[in-house]
Amino acid sequence: MNDIVRRDDLEAVDILTGAVSLKSINDYGTYSRILLFSNENLEGTAAELSYQNKSVLTVASSGDQYLAAMYYGAKNVDLFDINRFTYYLTCLKITAVKHLSYYEYLNFFIPPYTFEKNKYFFAVSTLERLIPFMEEDVAYFWEQVINCSDKSNIDINRLASIYDISCDVVGVKNGSPFYENKENYEKLKDRVISAPKPIFYETDIVDIQSLLKNSYDVVYLSNILFRLGLSSNSPSEISIFKEILSKLRGNLNDNCRIMVNYYFNNHKENVGFDYESIKKISFISKYLPYDDDFLDIDTDVALVYTYNAQK
């Protein structure tokens, strides 16, 4: 057994048994709670990024960013994330897409409060079917998850936020067409099966440059700037992006499209910053706004930057 398997074996047991406290979903680190599904409109961002036949670097997050890139025709996709749990979830989703039917996949991943009495949600029997197809370190992790469970279903709430709006069955499908119907899912399955194995970099974006092995046509940063605690339009937001850009230059192909930041339920004029070829795009939010002071706008905004190698 290699070092990474031994490390994750022990740490997974400690976390799953409660011996070690898991960091909250908003406290980002090597082991923090994760989202089961993306809360971003991936259809909206894909229209601007144009994944077809492109080499892509994306945050791992829930794994849906990887699936979106593959669905829209990416040539190859590499992943990065500071949170190692995102690696296990993304690998689980990739394996599940390859080996589960459309309805098996939805029943396994969507929490039971959206599918009444869903006995298949993170069912041990389904997970045991998938483990033989996983890489050794991923298989060991999910085996430990099973070993820490005394039920027929895994209590995944220790690892992931399942009572989040992103897990609602309508929200899951909105902005993620590969989840909308069986036909789209089969299209995704074909592309995932034929795709090269993604490289996963367990690191923050500001430290990734020395690790990268490929060059990219699309880089998807999700809402990393927001996660760093930077407010929109702040000097810090601009300076951090410039730092990221300067470090990635050696791995960016000319005209690389970078999804710089994602703003939920907002207007273009309220968020973002101006810098060279930065473009603000807006689209319908994945979720309908709530009747409160914070989510009363039905559009999301993304900043997309086009890299010019001559500058």
Side-chain angles (χ1 to χ4, degrees), residues 29-298:
T30 302
Y31 294 99
S32 303
R33 292 181 79 215
I34 52 180
L35 290 174
L36 281 183
F37 294 96
S38 174
N39 50 12
E40 299 167 355
N41 186 329
L42 300 176
E43 183 176 24
T45 55
E48 184 67 24
L49 295 173
S50 183
Y51 287 113
Q52 187 68 37
N53 295 320
K54 301 292 178 60
S55 178
V56 179
L57 175 67
T58 179
V59 63
S61 191
S62 67
D64 287 351
Q65 284 82 353
Y66 170 84
L67 297 180
M70 293 309 309
Y71 176 80
Y72 286 107
K75 179 173 58 178
N76 64 278
V77 183
D78 292 336
L79 306 159
F80 74 93
D81 209 295
I82 196 172
N83 184 355
R84 189 162 178 81
F85 282 148
T86 66
Y87 166 68
Y88 296 125
L89 179 61
T90 299
C91 290
L92 175 60
K93 283 191 172 183
I94 291 172
T95 305
V97 167
K98 290 180 179 180
H99 298 283
L100 298 182
S101 71
Y102 173 63
Y103 293 107
E104 284 178 323
Y105 184 98
L106 292 187
N107 278 323
F108 180 74
F109 282 105
I110 296 181
Y113 69 91
T114 54
F115 284 170
E116 186 176 357
K117 296 181 179 179
N118 178 10
K119 64 182 180 180
Y120 303 106
F121 177 64
F122 270 85
V124 169
S125 59
T126 304
L127 194 51
E128 288 176 333
R129 283 172 52 195
L130 297 175
I131 283 175
F133 302 104
M134 297 176 180
E135 295 290 323
E136 183 185 19
D137 57 337
V138 181
Y140 263 88
F141 173 79
W142 288 111
E143 285 171 350
Q144 293 306 315
V145 172
I146 291 174
N147 291 339
C148 292
S149 175
D150 58 359
K151 301 177 182 178
S152 58
N153 297 75
I154 301 298
D155 182 13
I156 201 65
N157 193 47
R158 275 204 57 78
L159 298 178
S161 175
I162 67 172
Y163 301 110
D164 183 271
I165 188 172
S166 65
C167 293
D168 177 81
V169 66
V170 175
V172 166
K173 295 183 177 184
N174 284 347
S176 299
F178 43 91
Y179 290 144
E180 285 181 359
N181 55 58
K182 182 179 178 180
E183 180 181 1
N184 289 355
Y185 179 81
E186 292 299 322
K187 173 183 171 181
L188 171 66
K189 181 190 290 284
D190 290 342
R191 291 183 171 176
V192 170
I193 288 174
S194 62
K197 177 185 174 182
I199 300 172
F200 179 82
Y201 299 101
E202 186 183 339
T203 184
D204 200 347
I205 187 63
V206 296
D207 300 318
I208 198 174
Q209 189 275 332
S210 63
L211 304 174
L212 293 177
K213 300 177 181 179
N214 298 318
S215 58
Y216 303 99
D217 306 298
V218 176
V219 176
Y220 196 103
L221 299 182
S222 188
N223 56 351
I224 285 178
L225 297 189
F226 171 77
R227 298 300 192 187
L228 290 172
L230 306 178
S231 60
S232 179
N233 295 300
S234 70
S236 296
E237 188 179 38
I238 300 173
S239 64
I240 288 294
F241 171 65
K242 289 181 178 179
E243 178 186 355
I244 292 171
L245 182 62
S246 69
K247 290 185 176 183
L248 291 179
R249 284 185 188 278
N251 299 90
L252 303 180
N253 296 327
D254 195 25
N255 294 316
C256 174
R257 311 299 297 279
I258 304 176
M259 217 291 287
V260 177
N261 210 356
Y262 193 104
Y263 306 91
F264 299 97
N265 301 92
N266 235 308
H267 292 307
K268 287 182 180 180
E269 60 270 21
N270 295 337
V271 295
F273 54 87
D274 295 321
Y275 177 72
E276 295 181 359
S277 61
I278 284 278
K279 181 180 180 181
K280 295 182 184 182
I281 60 172
S282 63
F283 31 77
I284 296 298
S285 177
K286 191 174 170 76
Y287 310 104
L288 294 176
Y290 290 102
D291 185 20
D292 61 30
D293 294 333
F294 300 100
L295 292 175
D296 59 352
I297 302 170
D298 64 358

Side-chain angles (χ1 to χ4, degrees), residues 17-28:
T17 58
V20 174
S21 297
L22 189 62
K23 292 184 178 180
S24 76
I25 201 166
N26 293 315
D27 185 8
Y28 305 102

